[in-house]
Amino acid sequence: MSSGRESVAKKKHVRFANMEEEEQEEDTLFDQRKEAGRGLKSALKLAKRSMKAGGESRVRVSAGGSGACGRWMVTLALCGSFLGLGMGISVVGPTFQDLAANVHKNISNISYIITGRAVGYIGGSLIGGILFECMNPHILLGISMLLTALGMYAIPFCKQVLFLTGIMSVVGMAMGALDTGGNVLILNTWGENSGPHMQALHFSFAAGAFASPIIAKLLFGHDGNGSSPLTPTSPPAAMSRITLKSMWAYIVIGSVLLFISFLFLLLYACGSKSRDKAQAASERPCVAKHHSVLVALLFFFFFAYVGAEVAYGTFIFTFATDYAHMPEAHAAGLNSLFWGTFAATRGAAIFFAACLYPGTMILLCLLGSVLSSLLLCLFTNNHAVLWVGTGLYGASMATTFPSGISWLEQYTTVTGKTAAAFVVGAALGEMVLPSLVGFLLGVFPKQPLLMYLSIITATFTSILFPVMYKVASAPGGQSRKPGIRGRSDADDSEYRQALLDSGADEEEEQQNEADQWNDADFEIIEMDDASSSNSPSKESSPADGGAVTATSESDGDLLQGDSQT
């Protein structure tokens, strides 16, 4: 009887199999699996956020190393290349008469070499934009500068006008590819922080354009014995002697370009090409919804701006002498004032770009150009206003081009083809508008046509830029690319993404805990009444025997125990 009571008092309880022996091992394996999962997720998130933090889907070009050192090396090489580009473009003006004498022609008979170079520049911009997408940029720029240097070396030895035109066209193609590739490469190198570096790049161009006439005329312009200027009717001995001396300017500029071309090839040899290709394959460009419309509007914007800039710098001397009746020395000083303020403002813009948005700088430039051109139109014969207006106009025109590229980069990715489009617009403006002014000056010599062109282009660009901004920020498209500094929407998106990631982490942790419980093994043990009082299991009712059923999901066996009677 006592035996029966003792057996009735026994209960069957469920507990984990081998809990005491395997508890530490199970916990350890679970923690390791969870930590491994967390480590993998952390690595994936870090890679994702590092890609987003750049704010751009573009290829980061490495040069001779990684980090800031490599980027600075690329920037210095680009500034040197644009210094040589400015020298190569502007050296033709002060040596134009010597080039005509070198091929035994008058100036009017070789004027089409400028057109040949402009056509080559447009073609080179288009070809360079396409090649930039499919080859290493260092190789592209190095070859472009090498061709430009060889062309500069060949120009002094051209004795036939057709040969000179062909060399000028080849040089123009190389310069166009360099202009397109250099602008894109500086954006690829610095990303959203490219504003000051873009200004430095174009300041180098202005500095080269300012230094080239000094090299051509002050160093090699005369032989120092007071000889008369060179003409096609000069004696052959004087022609060969003086022409050879003036052509040394092309040799010097070609040597500068040759040195920088070797620097680009060295950067290519030291760069990591495989990493660039892998990153280019894994990233997609961030293109705005109205990308094509923006590029087309910027095409016309640069057409008007660059055309007005080149026309004013070319014909201000003629305007000052023929219309304002200024002495030639004063007119030359007025021309130097325009280009001097142009270069100085581009140098100052390197620091302004660090604290001002590109759109703000464009608005300031447009305001200054409208004000100065309006003064020049209203007071065309006032010499004081002519000096002040020319200086203000040169300063206002200085930063529009680099700021326009940086502004476009805020809303869409500037690829090689994109850069080719607006560089072609600038080249067409440089070719068409000065030619138009020169033609109209011959028809209407008593009219201030240069000032009319200035106010028309200033008004046109001032109207066009708000339209560009409206298109860029239109509903349905992105207002700005991610990663623009100081933008709260980028911070909010990162905060929302962090919340989503944390929610996903909690879900995965709960799923892992459920898997742990599902994988557990169970067994049935017997406990007496003395031990059941200390057990956490729920006691069965003595009236019905308290049948307890436990199911093991690991092996699918059904275990059932009945109470003893």
Side-chain angles (χ1 to χ4, degrees):
M1 195 61 188
S2 62
S3 170
R5 288 191 190 130
E6 186 175 350
S7 57
V8 171
K10 289 182 179 180
K11 306 285 191 302
K12 291 184 179 180
H13 296 277
V14 181
R15 57 160 293 177
F16 286 113
N18 301 326
M19 178 65 74
E20 295 181 357
E21 293 83 5
E22 298 180 3
E23 181 177 6
Q24 183 66 31
E25 181 180 357
E26 292 290 336
D27 291 342
T28 304
L29 291 175
F30 177 70
D31 290 340
Q32 288 178 353
R33 182 171 60 181
K34 183 168 65 175
E35 291 299 327
R38 286 179 178 175
L40 179 60
K41 289 187 295 181
S42 299
L44 292 175
K45 287 178 190 176
L46 181 60
K48 185 189 298 184
R49 288 172 183 172
S50 64
M51 291 178 64
K52 291 181 179 179
E56 296 132 40
S57 301
R58 56 175 68 256
V59 181
R60 295 287 181 182
V61 180
S62 61
S66 59
C69 181
R71 293 196 296 269
W72 278 108
M73 289 297 296
V74 173
T75 303
L76 290 177
L78 285 173
C79 289
S81 66
F82 270 57
L83 179 71
L85 180 64
M87 295 170 67
I89 289 179
S90 64
V91 72
V92 176
T95 61
F96 198 70
Q97 184 178 3
D98 297 337
L99 290 174
N102 197 33
V103 296
H104 310 286
K105 297 290 183 179
N106 293 321
I107 293 178
S108 59
N109 294 330
I110 68 164
S111 58
Y112 50 84
I113 68 172
I114 304 299
T115 304
R117 188 182 69 175
V119 172
Y121 202 97
I122 294 173
S125 300
L126 294 173
I127 296 174
I130 297 173
L131 292 179
F132 194 89
E133 303 294 328
C134 57
M135 66 181 296
N136 187 281
H138 298 149
I139 287 291
L140 176 62
L141 298 182
I143 293 176
S144 299
M145 297 205 65
L146 183 62
L147 290 176
T148 307
L150 295 178
M152 288 292 170
Y153 284 138
I155 285 175
F157 302 98
C158 293
K159 301 300 181 180
Q160 299 294 327
V161 65
L162 291 179
F163 186 47
L164 179 62
T165 304
I167 292 296
M168 282 290 187
S169 298
V170 174
V171 170
M173 290 183 64
M175 288 179 172
L178 175 62
D179 194 1
T180 300
N183 283 293
V184 179
L185 184 57
I186 199 70
L187 292 174
N188 290 3
T189 303
W190 292 100
E192 65 178 16
N193 299 319
S194 62
H197 307 283
M198 179 68 72
Q199 299 291 342
L201 188 69
H202 288 270
F203 166 72
S204 301
F205 178 88
F210 183 78
S212 182
I214 298 176
I215 296 174
K217 285 302 181 183
L218 295 184
L219 296 182
F220 305 110
H222 55 83
D223 57 1
N225 55 9
S227 59
S228 59
L230 188 67
T231 63
T233 58
S234 300
M239 182 179 296
S240 61
R241 174 174 51 83
I242 301 177
T243 301
L244 182 62
K245 185 176 178 61
S246 64
M247 292 294 104
W248 272 102
Y250 289 90
I251 304 298
V252 171
I253 295 172
S255 300
V256 173
L257 293 170
L258 183 64
F259 171 76
I260 301 173
S261 68
F262 289 149
L263 182 58
F264 273 110
L265 297 178
L266 179 63
L267 291 174
Y268 169 75
C270 298
S272 175
K273 300 175 284 299
S274 60
R275 182 174 61 185
D276 293 341
K277 291 181 180 179
Q279 190 172 2
S282 62
E283 294 181 350
R284 297 177 57 190
C286 179
V287 180
K289 181 180 179 181
H290 306 291
H291 175 84
S292 300
V293 179
L294 277 176
V295 174
L297 292 176
L298 197 65
F299 175 93
F300 292 106
F301 184 87
F302 283 156
F303 177 89
Y305 155 72
V306 176
E309 170 198 322
V310 175
Y312 197 91
T314 303
F315 291 103
I316 184 59
F317 180 88
T318 303
F319 175 85
T321 54
D322 295 345
Y323 187 86
H325 305 292
M326 293 180 66
E328 289 190 1
H330 293 177
L334 194 66
N335 196 0
S336 299
L337 176 65
F338 175 78
W339 291 114
T341 54
F342 185 87
T345 306
R346 277 195 171 177
I350 298 174
F351 305 99
F352 294 151
C355 56
L356 294 177
Y357 282 110
T360 304
M361 298 184 68
I362 293 176
L363 288 177
L364 293 176
C365 291
L366 293 176
L367 179 63
S369 61
V370 169
L371 179 61
S372 58
S373 59
L374 183 61
L375 289 175
L376 290 170
C377 283
L378 295 178
F379 305 98
T380 54
N381 290 318
N382 191 313
H383 291 186
V385 174
L386 195 58
W387 283 95
V388 174
T390 298
L392 180 59
Y393 192 68
S396 301
M397 300 288 282
T399 64
T400 305
F401 192 86
S403 298
I405 300 175
S406 299
W407 177 84
L408 181 65
E409 173 65 15
Q410 289 183 333
Y411 297 94
T412 186
T413 298
V414 179
T415 61
K417 296 178 182 178
T418 302
F422 57 70
V423 169
V424 167
L428 284 175
E430 180 181 355
M431 182 174 62
V432 172
L433 293 186
S435 301
L436 180 63
V437 171
F439 172 76
L440 292 177
L441 282 177
V443 179
F444 306 101
K446 301 300 182 181
Q447 298 295 325
L449 298 176
L450 181 63
M451 305 309 169
Y452 292 160
L453 176 68
S454 300
I455 189 63
I456 290 172
T457 54
T459 304
F460 174 75
T461 52
S462 299
I463 295 174
L464 188 59
F465 182 68
V467 176
M468 292 164 55
Y469 179 79
K470 186 68 175 178
V471 171
S473 58
Q478 60 183 25
S479 59
R480 281 181 187 264
K481 289 171 57 179
I484 301 301
R485 61 187 175 188
R487 300 292 298 180
S488 59
D489 52 354
D491 298 336
D492 292 341
S493 63
E494 291 179 1
Y495 178 69
R496 289 193 295 267
Q497 184 64 33
L499 291 178
L500 293 175
D501 292 343
S502 63
D505 293 343
E506 293 178 359
E507 273 187 31
E508 293 179 5
E509 289 176 3
Q510 292 176 1
Q511 183 65 30
N512 289 335
E513 291 176 1
D515 293 341
Q516 180 197 15
W517 281 91
N518 291 335
D519 294 339
D521 292 330
F522 296 95
E523 70 176 1
I524 296 179
I525 64 172
E526 291 185 355
M527 300 180 66
D528 55 11
D529 291 338
S531 60
S532 64
S533 60
N534 297 327
S535 173
S537 303
K538 185 184 291 185
E539 297 182 356
S540 302
S541 174
D544 55 6
V548 180
T549 302
T551 303
S552 175
E553 293 187 15
S554 61
D555 54 13
D557 294 335
L558 182 63
L559 302 177
Q560 183 172 358
D562 296 330
S563 61
Q564 298 181 2
T565 58

